[in-house]
Amino acid sequence: MDGNGRWASARGLPRGAGHRAGVKTIQRVAEAAPALGIGTLTLYAFSSDNWRRPAEEVGGLMRLLRAYLRGETDRLARSGTRLTVIGRRDRLPPGIPEAIERAEAATASGDRLHLRIAVDYSSRDAILAAAARLGPEGLSREGLSEALGADGDVDLLIRTGGEKRLSDFLLWEAAYAELHFTDRMWPDFGATDLAAAVADFTARDRRFGGLNPPAVPQAA
Ligand code: FPP
């Protein structure tokens, strides 16, 4: 969800105003996703490296997260959206881990969209922790995916704000993801942009290392 800060600065506003506008984009995008065939949508809200930002900005982001969890859970549940949060919880401010658990429990039966929010998230750390839990004997591709709570592979990875990096996001899960980069700042991103990204994805020739059509017919 890149570009909140620049969106705000361009308007002479503090960075926090960009993050607040970014929350509205979350609502728009989550509403538009199911009709575009998206079953799982993972949003990168706060990376483990974002702790390096000024305390004021970090505090503002945590307040937004708390307000989102408190204010949106009912609406998410009513709209059939299951909310889960990935990332570390032990460094979050008091009250937030409990708010996450409440939101996850209240939306657990949602089957229209699985909305995942990555908070204090580092894909490298998540892979290391999952591998350590499994131990050398338990390691397998499927086992690691499951231990990561991967909910399947990432098909399409969208980065807004003109940056062209993965920034430690879903590195294992995105092994064969199609990448879509857009200059649109996250607060300006909307249903039309999401539809354009999906159309771009649909037009891609996904070969997963093979040939298309396969040189050797595949058994049914
Ligand atoms: C990246 O843009 C955005 C973030 C680090 C924060 C994203 C968070 C939200 C949209 C709100 C909080 C989340 C929830 C779920 C309520 P940037 O600030 O790095 O922008 P810049 O590249 O223009 O500086």
Side-chain angles (χ1 to χ4, degrees):
M1 297 192 279
D2 222 337
N4 296 342
R6 280 166 288 159
W7 181 92
S9 301
R11 287 160 179 76
L13 298 169
R15 292 176 59 80
H19 295 315
R20 283 196 296 280
V23 176
K24 295 199 177 117
T25 302
I26 296 177
Q27 289 158 355
R28 285 201 300 275
V29 167
E31 266 166 37
L36 292 166
I38 297 169
T40 301
L41 176 68
T42 308
L43 301 170
Y44 206 176
F46 191 86
S47 84
S48 295
D49 289 322
N50 286 151
W51 292 114
R52 294 187 195 153
R53 294 193 177 197
E56 190 192 334
E57 182 167 347
V58 170
L61 284 168
M62 293 299 154
R63 278 193 294 280
L64 277 180
L65 177 61
R66 191 184 278 119
Y68 179 81
L69 294 167
R70 288 210 181 123
E72 288 300 307
T73 296
D74 283 353
R75 189 179 2 176
L76 292 170
R78 278 199 306 276
S79 67
T81 305
R82 174 181 162 216
L83 178 80
T84 59
V85 174
I86 57 171
R88 285 179 64 164
R89 298 189 184 182
D90 57 310
R91 300 188 291 196
L92 298 176
I96 292 195
E98 295 78 4
I100 291 173
E101 278 168 31
R102 276 196 298 275
E104 288 180 334
T107 62
S109 62
D111 57 4
R112 191 165 162 264
L113 176 70
H114 184 188
L115 179 63
R116 303 198 315 160
I117 299 185
V119 180
D120 194 359
Y121 177 82
S122 151
S123 182
R124 285 176 162 180
D125 288 349
I127 292 167
L128 278 179
R133 274 200 308 279
L134 289 172
E137 302 303 320
L139 270 183
S140 67
R141 287 185 172 199
E142 294 73 23
L144 191 59
S145 289
E146 202 184 317
L148 284 169
D151 194 19
D153 282 351
V154 173
D155 290 309
L156 169 63
L157 191 150
I158 303 170
R159 183 152 188 167
T160 57
E163 311 289 2
K164 296 185 177 67
R165 290 187 286 274
L166 295 181
S167 298
D168 203 6
F169 187 55
L170 299 174
L171 301 178
W172 174 273
E173 298 89 326
Y176 273 100
E178 298 295 331
L179 308 181
H180 179 91
F181 299 107
T182 167
D183 289 336
R184 190 85 72 212
M185 300 292 150
W186 178 251
D188 288 331
F189 193 84
T192 312
D193 300 296
L194 188 63
V198 170
D200 179 23
F201 167 80
T202 308
R204 304 273 179 97
D205 180 21
R206 302 188 85 197
R207 298 186 297 279
F208 299 96
L211 300 176
N212 203 9
V216 180
Q218 315 254 300

